[in-house]
Amino acid sequence: MNSADLGRRVGVPSTALFTDQYELTMVQAALKAGTAGRRSVFEAFTRRLPEGRRYGVVAGIGRVLDAVENFHFDEEMLGFLRDRSIVDGPTLDYLADYRFGGDIWGYPEGEVYFPGSPILRVEGSFAECVLLETVILSILNHDSAIAAAASRMSAAAGGRGLIEMGARRTHELSAVASARAAYIGGFDTTSDLAAGFRYNIPTVGTSAHAFTLLHDSESDAFRAQVDSLGRGTTLLVDTYDVATAVRTAVEIAGPELGAVRIDSGDLLLVAHRVRQQLDELGATETRIVVTSDLDEYAIASLAAAPVDAYGVGTQLVTGSGHPTCSMVYKLVARAGSADPADELRPVAKKSMGAKSSKGGRKWAARRLDVEGVAEAEVIGTGPVPEELAGRQLLVELVRGGEVVAREPLDAARERHIAARAGLPLSAMQLSRGEAVIPTEYV
């Protein structure tokens, strides 16, 4: 594997303050009580899928690994904590030397998950594990929400091209993470250059309406673009009159014109008219790209249209109505002392509502039916049944504080394609429904 496949290791600032204050105050109290060093197991999971969704998509694992590696407190951060009296002196001393030295197991990126799936398992002392809670959830909740939306859009697109173009609709750093998650979920390219630079995602882009409006005529604009970018470029044809623009585009670029983009109007109707016009003009290989506030439902509605690719922005980077996965990070087991040999004891929150959780250090496996299709997500705390031993889902990510499982982004993308294909066909339905397979505890 070429190291370039992993993307550029862009300098990342410390992630230590990407946290909530109570993580630090818990550490202070635990240090004083002598319990901070107790061996502990935390798990990230969700109690339910977003309403109407049939499966979730794991994304952000690679970013979590970066965040864990870069979780350390520099002098300026320690000074901030000292000046605000957020923690006391002994805690500042502990934080000054902090580096995560535990183990992390988790679902590999691109895998699907269901309610209760132990998506990430973090093991170490209480203090070193609890400090990571907020940054882990921040990444997993965001990236997995985007990847799930991307997966639904990819399924609806049925193999047609998908362009991520939501950078202008979200925070500039979220835009990069969104492009990464969308690529895992099935998108082919991004318009965001920072995402292309950071993660080696293919980038695309040609012109906006402003470029056409800049010129004295549409033909002047098209000619300038073709002269600069070649006949294979994509011309935006809905600034004025679509039919006139398509005719002008082919006159200037010839039948070798790469594509036309439609960004407004009745996309189903306009796409059919444009395809007919392009064919009549001899541009039979010219592709049609549509944009304009698309989501998975709009994409599905265009299945019968002669569309070659979709550009999606707002709905993608906001999770298509579900911007978070509601994952939580809970202590599920802990020892009675800091002795590494001390036995782990299951612990769990008890609640009258829907916030209860199940204690114990968990494994997970996916049971298949006789046709090789997933039929249940099986989760347990004891020995793994022999028939499920080869179907376990968690993989080792960090061992003794060292990352052991980095992989190219394309590996996560390919994994998701395979994981989604292994689900029942009803998983691809866009109508509201429950999780496509049940979660079983053994």
Side-chain angles (χ1 to χ4, degrees):
M1 179 179 66
N2 189 317
S3 61
D5 293 338
L6 295 174
R8 287 178 171 81
R9 299 300 304 278
V10 177
V12 178
S14 170
T15 54
L17 292 186
F18 292 165
T19 191
D20 292 304
Q21 181 167 318
Y22 77 170
E23 316 291 7
L24 275 64
T25 55
M26 281 192 287
V27 168
Q28 175 177 308
L31 286 169
K32 188 170 184 179
T35 53
R38 287 186 175 183
R39 191 158 62 98
S40 300
V41 180
F42 285 80
E43 289 174 355
F45 61 93
T46 184
R47 296 184 176 95
R48 67 192 68 82
L49 295 176
E51 184 181 358
R53 295 287 173 88
R54 298 170 184 263
Y55 63 93
V57 181
V58 178
I61 294 295
R63 296 208 309 120
V64 165
L65 298 180
D66 289 341
V68 171
E69 276 193 334
N70 288 284
F71 199 100
H72 55 84
F73 294 84
D74 60 29
E75 285 301 321
E76 188 173 7
M77 292 177 175
L78 295 170
F80 165 77
L81 299 176
R82 183 184 301 109
D83 294 344
R84 298 286 185 94
S85 299
I86 292 173
V87 291
D88 60 17
T91 308
L92 288 171
D93 292 340
Y94 174 83
L95 298 178
D97 294 330
Y98 179 87
R99 292 292 188 280
F100 179 73
D103 303 326
I104 300 178
W105 290 68
Y107 280 39
E109 217 161 2
E111 184 57 84
V112 295
Y113 70 87
F114 299 93
S117 296
I119 295 165
L120 203 70
R121 191 177 72 217
V122 183
E123 304 182 28
S125 71
F126 174 82
E128 65 181 336
C129 294
V130 77
L131 286 173
L132 299 176
E133 174 180 2
T134 302
V135 70
I136 284 175
L137 290 179
S138 176
I139 293 170
L140 291 182
N141 270 315
H142 174 269
D143 290 22
S144 297
I146 306 307
S151 179
R152 285 162 60 84
M153 293 174 190
S154 173
R160 295 175 177 179
L162 286 167
I163 307 164
E164 184 283 313
M165 47 196 306
R168 65 191 60 200
R169 299 292 188 246
T170 188
H171 186 279
E172 65 271 18
L173 297 182
S174 295
V176 181
S178 294
R180 182 184 185 280
Y183 189 68
I184 292 171
F187 273 61
D188 303 291
T189 55
T190 180
S191 66
D192 189 84
L193 289 178
F197 175 79
R198 177 66 180 86
Y199 297 116
N200 289 335
I201 301 170
T203 58
V204 294
T206 51
S207 68
H209 294 101
F211 186 77
T212 301
L213 296 170
L214 168 69
H215 292 82
D216 295 335
S217 68
E218 194 168 51
S219 60
D220 286 347
F222 287 176
R223 188 170 291 105
Q225 185 172 326
V226 171
D227 287 347
S228 175
L229 301 178
R231 297 175 185 272
T233 192
T234 299
L235 295 175
L236 181 58
V237 295
D238 72 331
T239 305
Y240 304 117
D241 177 73
V242 173
T244 301
V246 170
R247 184 169 59 252
T248 302
V250 176
E251 287 175 356
I252 291 171
E256 300 83 15
L257 174 63
V260 296
R261 177 163 75 95
I262 307 165
D263 188 51
S264 58
D266 183 336
L267 296 178
L268 178 63
L269 175 64
V270 175
H272 276 288
R273 288 178 175 174
V274 168
R275 181 73 271 160
Q276 180 179 352
Q277 187 180 9
L278 286 169
D279 292 346
E280 290 173 350
L281 293 170
T284 57
E285 299 300 315
T286 298
R287 301 167 71 244
I288 297 176
V289 180
V290 297
T291 52
S292 184
D293 289 330
L294 299 178
D295 61 11
E296 60 265 49
Y297 303 104
I299 291 170
S301 74
L302 292 168
V307 171
D308 298 286
Y310 307 92
V312 190
T314 302
Q315 292 302 316
L316 177 61
V317 299
T318 57
S320 196
H322 296 290
T324 180
C325 302
S326 299
M327 291 185 197
V328 295
Y329 182 89
K330 296 298 182 183
L331 181 67
V332 296
R334 55 90 173 170
S337 71
D339 183 351
D342 201 347
E343 183 179 357
L344 288 170
R345 309 171 187 181
V347 294
K349 173 183 178 179
K350 297 191 183 302
S351 172
M352 295 295 290
K355 286 192 171 185
S356 60
S357 56
K358 296 183 181 295
R361 180 179 185 273
K362 300 175 191 68
W363 53 263
R366 192 160 297 143
R367 191 174 69 238
L368 308 182
D369 65 16
V370 293
E371 301 295 330
V373 177
E375 66 175 10
E377 191 89 339
V378 184
I379 300 170
T381 58
V384 181
E386 184 177 346
E387 66 273 17
L388 294 176
R391 301 294 309 168
Q392 293 191 72
L393 293 163
L394 279 80
V395 300
E396 189 177 26
L397 301 171
V398 177
R399 182 191 310 135
E402 297 296 324
V403 174
V404 296
R406 278 202 170 84
E407 63 180 3
L409 199 57
D410 279 332
R413 176 184 171 86
E414 291 165 7
R415 181 180 295 113
H416 178 61
I417 293 171
R420 192 175 66 185
L423 296 176
L425 286 176
S426 57
M428 303 303 106
Q429 293 179 327
L430 296 181
S431 58
R432 291 181 179 273
E434 300 299 320
V436 71
I437 60 174
T439 300
E440 297 178 2
Y441 292 93
V442 297

